[in-house]
Amino acid sequence: MAPHGEGSEEAMVVQDENRKPISSILIIIAMQTEAMPIVNKFQLKEDLDSVFPKGVPWVRYHGVYKDLQINLVWPGKDSTLGVDSVGTISASLVTYAAIQALQPDLIINAGTAGSFKVKGASISDVFLASDVAFHDRRIPIPVFDLYGVGSRQSFSTPNLLKELNLKAGKLSTGDSLDMSPQEEASIVANDATVKDMEGAAVAYVADLLKVPAIFIKAVTDIVDGEKPPAEEFLQNLAAVTAALDQAVTQVVDFINGKCLSEL
């Protein structure tokens, strides 16, 4: 246990940080198709003198919007196959590197996701995740099982949720677009409403480095619906990114001029 003075001093620092207006936000997005409408909306410019290690494909866009310095980062294209570097590994690496280089006040992990008709979700619904967890890290050993699930609460934003009338739900993350029976059981155990491939990885790194993070997810596919998820995802991706873009813009407008404690 820390000495009384040391603990009190640390608590005061946290309180002071929560009362300062947010000045820098970091938007982390997995796919170029998801990122570009937001880049264009805020008139962000690509960083030609990269803050990231030489040779990595990670891309940063940056600019000023109202009172906010905005950095948007996506992991870029796989150097061998040329597809978006989706999934938890790329998300973890780029989140760590971006926090180290940019020191944001708040992280917004925005992207598309699957959802479930049993949860009442529809295509283009936008959710603000209350909690995040993994559904494909199965370690059936006491305590390690909890580590595998890696459940974390996102930064609490009750005023944001109420003002923008967003849907709330738990987010479950795994490295596959489809869903095995074991993963389905884990998703049910996580009580998840939305399913993605990056959120819990971003949450892990943000928690490790003590940066508050929120998660905005727009629904491209109904996992328990009639269509195969991959087919429905590709069919709806372009249209749903418009809903994601609108939601992120509303969130950024709400954040502008506010402290963390006012969210």
Side-chain angles (χ1 to χ4, degrees):
M1 181 181 292
H4 177 73
E6 183 179 330
S8 299
E9 184 177 334
E10 186 176 318
M12 288 175 64
V13 169
V14 171
Q15 287 178 359
D16 287 344
E17 288 295 319
N18 287 344
R19 291 179 185 143
K20 283 168 36 181
I22 297 165
S23 62
S24 174
I25 60 174
L26 169 61
I27 302 172
I28 297 174
I29 297 188
M31 299 184 71
Q32 187 176 29
T33 303
E34 300 166 338
M36 293 315 296
I38 298 169
V39 168
N40 295 331
K41 177 65 68 71
F42 294 116
Q43 298 183 328
L44 305 179
K45 303 298 182 185
E46 185 171 350
D47 185 8
L48 300 178
D49 185 20
S50 181
V51 297
F52 299 130
K54 185 178 180 180
V56 300
W58 310 334
V59 181
R60 169 191 172 231
Y61 296 91
H62 61 97
V64 175
Y65 176 76
K66 297 184 178 180
D67 298 326
L68 294 168
Q69 175 70 43
I70 299 178
N71 288 285
L72 183 149
V73 174
W74 71 287
K77 301 283 188 180
D78 181 84
S79 58
T80 303
L81 300 174
V83 296
D84 293 282
S85 300
V86 300
T88 59
I89 295 174
S90 290
S92 297
L93 287 169
V94 81
T95 301
Y96 178 82
I99 291 173
Q100 293 292 90
L102 305 170
Q103 299 293 304
D105 297 321
L106 177 71
I107 292 171
I108 300 172
N109 174 221
T112 54
S115 192
F116 304 87
K117 65 180 181 183
V118 72
K119 291 287 190 178
S122 301
I123 301 298
S124 293
D125 280 353
V126 180
F127 286 87
L128 186 66
S130 58
D131 302 78
V132 295
F134 293 97
H135 57 251
D136 61 353
R137 304 201 314 180
R138 295 178 294 279
I139 312 173
I141 302 171
V143 186
F144 279 99
D145 55 353
L146 300 177
Y147 168 79
V149 173
S151 182
R152 287 173 173 80
Q153 288 187 325
S154 62
F155 185 74
S156 180
T157 55
N159 297 325
L160 171 65
L161 188 66
K162 182 179 178 182
E163 179 72 19
L164 300 187
N165 198 29
L166 295 170
K167 296 190 173 188
K170 295 181 179 181
L171 171 65
S172 197
T173 297
D175 270 310
S176 297
L177 184 65
D178 63 1
M179 182 177 65
S180 71
Q182 295 95 330
E183 288 167 352
E184 183 177 11
S186 295
I187 289 168
V188 170
N190 290 344
D191 190 28
T193 300
V194 278
K195 167 188 175 291
D196 82 339
M197 296 175 65
E198 291 85 24
V202 173
Y204 170 79
V205 179
D207 185 44
L208 198 66
L209 300 181
K210 307 305 179 197
V211 181
I214 62 175
F215 303 83
I216 303 168
K217 301 292 172 176
V219 176
T220 49
D221 53 286
I222 302 301
V223 182
D224 55 349
E226 287 73 34
K227 294 183 180 179
E231 177 185 322
E232 196 168 30
F233 168 77
L234 292 172
Q235 177 184 326
N236 295 318
L237 179 59
V240 172
T241 54
L244 180 67
D245 168 39
Q246 181 180 17
V248 171
T249 302
Q250 291 174 336
V251 168
V252 171
D253 278 328
F254 182 85
I255 288 169
N256 182 66
K258 292 184 176 63
C259 312
L260 286 169
S261 59
E262 296 174 314
L263 301 184

